[in-house]
Amino acid sequence: MRFRKAAAGLGIGAALALGSVSAPAAAHDGAVSALGPSCTTGKNLTNGWGKCTTAGKYKWRVNVDCTLGGSGSSSIVTGPTRTNAYCSWGNVERVSIEHF
């Protein structure tokens, strides 16, 4: 039984190594792939930020949830860029990206 599991694992690893299994790439006409844009978030005490790097004309914004029940949002931006959202009351607890 152990041999079968090891062989199955090797089969998947070999397929990945040969490049026969891949995720869809972003289209070259400005559209975003089916997986969506590649974005990251970060924060410090009073602001959160988002950065998207995938080419295209998608719209998105950063939302922050703050201590003391506050929240904030950035303006809506288009395509690959970085933008910030601020907490006017309290500190940033959570940062999220909303796509439109």
Side-chain angles (χ1 to χ4, degrees):
M1 189 65 146
R2 288 183 185 168
F3 179 74
R4 284 185 186 165
K5 288 181 181 178
L10 287 175
I12 292 169
L16 290 172
L18 294 174
S20 62
V21 177
S22 63
H28 295 288
D29 61 358
V32 179
S33 76
L35 298 176
S38 175
C39 302
T40 57
T41 60
K43 67 178 182 172
N44 62 25
L45 285 178
T46 60
N47 73 69
W49 60 86
K51 180 179 180 181
C52 292
T53 57
T54 305
K57 295 189 182 224
Y58 51 94
K59 293 184 179 193
W60 60 282
R61 74 175 168 198
V62 174
N63 296 315
V64 291
D65 294 327
C66 312
T67 59
L68 307 175
S71 64
S73 295
S74 69
S75 59
I76 296 174
V77 295
T78 302
T81 191
R82 178 185 161 123
T83 191
N84 296 318
Y86 299 93
C87 285
S88 56
W89 292 96
N91 298 325
V92 175
E93 288 186 331
R94 188 178 73 88
V95 181
S96 62
I97 293 180
E98 180 180 9
H99 296 276
F100 298 95

